[in-house]
Amino acid sequence: MKTRSLIIIIFLFIFSPVAFAELKLTKEQDSRATELFKETRCLVCQSQTIYDSNSEMATDLKLYIIEQIIAGKSNYEIENQLVKNYGEWILMTPAFSQSNYFLWFGPFIILLLGAIMMLRYILKNNE
Amino acid sequence: MSLGNLGNILMLTCLLASLIQALYLIYPHTSFGKININYRVLTRIIFITCLASFLLLIYLFLESNFNYQLVVNNSHSEKPLIYKIAGAWGNHEGSLLLWILVLSFFNFVFLETKIKNTEFKKYVISFQSLMIFGFTLFLLLTSNPFLATENITNEGLGLNPILQDLLLAIHPPILYVGYVGYSIVLSFAVGGMITNKIDQEWARWLHPWVIVSWIFLTAGIGLGSFWAYYELGWGGYWFWDPVENASLMPWLAGTALFHCVIILEKKNILQSWVILLSILTFSLSLIGTFLVRSGILNSVHTFASDPSRGLFILVFLAIILIISFTLYAIKAPTLDKKSKINIVSKEAGILANNWLLLSSLFVVFLGTLYPLAVDLFLQKSISVGPNYYVLSLMPILLLLLLIMIVGPVSKWQNDKLTNILFSISKLFILSLAIIFAFSIYFSELKLTQITLLTLCLTLMLVSIKNGIRTNRNYSIISPSLGKSLAHIGFGLLILSVIANTTFATEKIFQAQVDDLLVIDNYKFKFDKVNQTKGKNFNAVTATFSLLDNKTVIETFKPEIRIYSNPPTVTSETSIVRKFLADIYIVMNIPENADFVNVRIHIKPMMSFIWLSIILMVLGGISSIFFRIKLIK
């Protein structure tokens, strides 16, 4: 009872409702949920995933993801739905889409160019 | 005269003195008509005025002088003493003043060094003064810390509680010394180009400055990471957050730079490359500042942001770049000396190090700025999270570890690949065996993990062996000890990070008092919840005991703090460090619930991550003392 009275005192300061206590997941579903939580950005926080956040928004999204998992949707389908609803920003890892080709291939191009430049420098010096 | 006016006069004096000294760059005479200019006097005036105004600002915070807007905005009379002091630089204006102070401090220390080439010295000091002038102008025009308040109040607004932390009081100054340290490196480059002095002696003079900056930047990043680990309560220590990336970029460039300075010193090659890296490193330091200040990036650090200030930094960066690149364009053809480079040699190893460090830099740069570009050109928002960095950096890291194993053991000029491979083969096989045994007996590892862990362990063992072999007289102050320590540290860092991400476990509980919480082999009992009172906050403290057959081994007391000035709620973590793993508990209290949310992390190898950073810093310190001895 003491716990409860203290909690009431600080109600005004803390907002983090948790409502999915009663939803039970299998072990496999649970790890999938965790994986998706870590991949989904909390839209109202600063660079936090919903996994790390306790905001209302994050809790709603967690609930949504759990419902979708229980409904039998795959991770891919859930991610697509999230992107459709909230935009690409919501996923922590950028999609491998046309506009992101340079982001994904850039590192390899630079690594290769760097290697060529380095070898050319060495060869030029050895002339 | 009010104290604020005194501060203004001090900064105006600094502005004037730095302008006069900077004019030497275009008017290289020591007198204007009959007025003689002594660069020594000017440098000292600049430093003393900066120091005095910084101390004055601290004094205003100490006495909670609410006649000044900055004190009103960032302090509170009930704040603990140390945070009153730290409040002086825990904001934009104060930290800018600190930035200027560090600029002038480096300038002052450089003046006192025993470099005999006065012409070179004058140009370095003049360019440094130009930077001091620019920032002082910025301070006086847009961010004056000594501005009187318009509405007199008796109480301040307080400092963001998340920043009320001992580590955060020292983290920014240390990081700043690192960032700003690279300003003197750039001044060296400019001074060296003007006086045609980019040679081996120049590299020897430059070397300690590059290392000092590197030490502070490394320590600053490490402290920031440590702070994030225990204060943010997310269990992580590196988030690939834009501001973290902004400090990592100059670190990567700076690391590449000081390896190159070694080649220049030994072999008299790569002159123009060293110049380019000097320009790049300081530019990245400035961009780092710009990113933090402008708030154009989504980050946990955006507590001090204003777009117009960002604009100034950009204009300033542009001016610095134009000056240095123009000079570079003029001097480049005469800079480089040719010399044969064998593909199997220490210098080739260092070249490969540069190739890989700069590739990593590019990945971080791309990941940080790509969302901005996409937003600007395609009106689309994307997030670039940790997965991107891990995937893109992995191949580079593999190559880097390989180079770090073979590079340092190879000889200058020319070596045989078979000799090198033979000398490391035993330690490599030993490492592979250890990792394999671990994988079989404890926990199955993936191929990439086995590869990376083996390379890390090999790197550590090879560095230890190499350190002992080349440091026969067991001197603590030697370049080889420094190199070994830093390389062991890097190997240990990657090893611990991989082990940490692979074996970390965590669980979220909805717990009531007397509940038993079980995670892995650990059992925790939720003992009680108390209300406690701190100096300037109220708190709810929960007590958990770690049990071993009903006996209590450890007690954890995570807290929720409620600050009133400004009103904020924070979660304080409770961490117990064990040799092999940290146990990390953080809680929060949901609305309308009769339980608390408890998150327990078991985080292996955490202490080794911090140890690895300490090793790198010690490595730097060990070689800096050697360098200083050498110059004398």
Side-chain angles (χ1 to χ4, degrees), chain A residues 11-124:
Chain A
F11 265 170
L12 295 170
F13 302 95
I14 300 192
F15 42 90
S16 51
V18 173
F20 49 87
E22 64 279 3
L23 291 170
K24 282 276 171 271
L25 295 172
T26 64
K27 221 176 182 170
E28 185 259 331
Q29 283 175 326
D30 191 60
S31 70
R32 268 181 59 202
T34 309
E35 195 185 313
L36 283 168
F37 291 171
K38 286 185 178 169
E39 189 46 46
T40 311
R41 183 190 274 278
C42 166
L43 298 171
V44 293
C45 324
Q46 296 275 6
S47 34
Q48 249 180 321
T49 61
I50 59 168
Y51 183 80
D52 291 315
S53 169
N54 287 302
S55 68
E56 214 166 315
M57 160 105 204
T59 314
D60 288 348
L61 275 173
K62 281 183 204 168
L63 198 62
Y64 172 79
I65 289 173
I66 288 176
E67 281 169 2
Q68 297 294 308
I69 289 178
I70 290 175
K73 296 265 177 64
S74 72
N75 283 13
Y76 181 73
E77 285 170 322
I78 297 172
E79 282 182 3
N80 268 351
Q81 195 56 46
L82 284 173
V83 170
K84 212 178 265 173
N85 294 350
Y86 300 97
E88 258 185 74
W89 200 56
I90 196 157
L91 295 186
M92 291 304 281
T93 309
F96 194 71
S97 63
Q98 213 172 352
S99 60
N100 294 344
Y101 278 165
F102 186 64
L103 180 67
W104 285 108
F105 289 126
F108 293 95
I109 298 171
I110 284 294
L111 199 59
L112 212 69
L113 277 178
I116 294 168
M117 273 171 63
M118 182 174 62
L119 290 176
R120 268 191 52 186
Y121 176 80
I122 292 176
L123 292 176
K124 213 178 81 190

Side-chain angles (χ1 to χ4, degrees), chain A residues 2-4 6-7 9-11 13-18 21 38-39 41 45-48 51-54 87-94 97 99-104 106-108 110-112 114-115 118-119 121-122 124-127, chain B residues 234 241 269-270 298-300 302 337-341 343 351-352 355-356 359 362-363 366-367 370 378 380-388 391-392 395-396 506 510 513 529-531 540 560 562 569 588-594 597 599:
Chain A
K2 210 176 170 196
T3 324
R4 191 172 299 208
L6 272 170
I7 289 167
I9 298 170
I10 55 170
F11 265 170
F13 302 95
I14 300 192
F15 42 90
S16 51
V18 173
K38 286 185 178 169
E39 189 46 46
R41 183 190 274 278
C45 324
Q46 296 275 6
S47 34
Q48 249 180 321
Y51 183 80
D52 291 315
S53 169
N54 287 302
E88 258 185 74
W89 200 56
I90 196 157
L91 295 186
M92 291 304 281
T93 309
S97 63
S99 60
N100 294 344
Y101 278 165
F102 186 64
L103 180 67
W104 285 108
F108 293 95
I110 284 294
L111 199 59
L112 212 69
M118 182 174 62
L119 290 176
Y121 176 80
I122 292 176
K124 213 178 81 190
N125 266 278
N126 289 354
E127 261 167 23
Chain B
W234 308 343
D241 173 278
I269 48 168
L270 282 177
N298 190 285
S299 154
V300 282
T302 40
K337 308 275 182 297
K338 259 192 188 180
S339 165
K340 195 166 154 47
I341 300 173
I343 215 136
L351 282 180
W355 161 51
L356 297 166
S359 299
F362 179 77
V363 171
L366 197 62
Y370 204 76
L378 303 171
K380 219 164 62 160
S381 299
I382 61 162
S383 307
V384 179
N387 272 346
Y388 169 77
L391 283 171
S392 313
I396 303 175
E506 58 170 297
Q510 291 162 353
V513 171
V529 180
N530 292 95
Q531 198 164 21
V540 176
I560 292 185
I562 301 134
V569 177
N588 64 64
I589 303 178
E591 211 176 328
N592 297 323
D594 55 356
N597 265 337
R599 187 187 273 193

Side-chain angles (χ1 to χ4, degrees), chain B residues 134-395:
Chain B
F135 278 105
T136 310
L137 191 66
F138 176 37
L139 182 96
L140 286 170
L141 292 181
T142 72
S143 343
N144 192 339
F146 299 110
L147 221 53
T149 176
E150 282 165 9
N151 314 309
I152 308 290
T153 50
N154 294 323
E155 196 47 271
L157 302 170
L159 175 73
N160 185 349
I162 206 169
L163 305 181
Q164 291 186 23
D165 182 282
L166 197 63
L167 256 189
L168 217 62
I170 54 168
H171 156 69
I174 290 185
L175 201 60
Y176 269 26
V177 175
Y179 276 151
V180 182
Y182 288 113
S183 67
I184 198 96
V185 175
L186 179 64
S187 298
F188 257 78
V190 170
M193 284 194 287
I194 295 176
T195 54
N196 296 318
K197 179 79 195 137
I198 312 289
D199 55 16
Q200 284 165 293
E201 193 183 23
W202 177 83
R204 210 176 65 234
W205 294 338
L206 177 62
H207 205 142
W209 298 94
V210 180
I211 300 180
V212 165
S213 312
W214 184 87
I215 292 170
F216 278 96
L217 199 52
T218 311
I221 295 172
L223 285 175
S225 168
F226 189 66
W227 169 79
Y229 173 66
Y230 75 73
E231 182 68 33
L232 293 181
W234 308 343
Y237 46 89
W238 190 264
F239 302 94
W240 298 102
D241 173 278
V243 172
E244 290 172 340
N245 291 350
S247 65
L248 187 61
M249 287 192 272
W251 188 86
L252 289 165
T255 311
L257 173 64
F258 90 64
H259 284 90
C260 270
V261 173
I262 300 173
I263 307 195
L264 176 53
E265 198 182 334
K266 287 266 179 191
K267 295 259 308 180
N268 203 22
I269 48 168
L270 282 177
Q271 283 81 353
S272 56
W273 183 237
V274 169
I275 298 288
L276 284 178
L277 278 181
S278 308
I279 300 172
L280 179 71
T281 310
F282 185 64
S283 305
L284 287 170
S285 299
L286 269 183
I287 289 174
T289 319
F290 163 67
L291 289 177
V292 183
R293 298 279 164 243
S294 70
I296 51 170
L297 287 170
N298 190 285
S299 154
V300 282
H301 292 72
T302 40
F303 48 81
S305 57
D306 178 346
S308 66
R309 291 167 180 171
L311 189 68
F312 177 91
I313 305 265
L314 269 192
V315 170
F316 187 76
L317 177 63
I319 294 172
I320 296 286
L321 285 182
I322 290 168
I323 296 176
S324 10
F325 276 116
T326 313
L327 249 179
Y328 176 74
I330 298 167
K331 300 283 180 173
T334 60
L335 282 176
D336 271 338
K337 308 275 182 297
K338 259 192 188 180
S339 165
K340 195 166 154 47
I341 300 173
N342 204 294
I343 215 136
V344 184
S345 62
K346 199 184 285 271
E347 49 268 39
I350 294 181
L351 282 180
N353 140 308
N354 266 246
W355 161 51
L356 297 166
L357 284 173
L358 289 190
S359 299
S360 319
L361 170 61
F362 179 77
V363 171
V364 179
F365 185 79
L366 197 62
T368 311
L369 294 182
Y370 204 76
L372 276 184
V374 169
D375 191 26
L376 203 62
F377 298 116
L378 303 171
Q379 278 77 45
K380 219 164 62 160
S381 299
I382 61 162
S383 307
V384 179
N387 272 346
Y388 169 77
Y389 295 98
V390 173
L391 283 171
S392 313
L393 289 175
M394 192 74 79

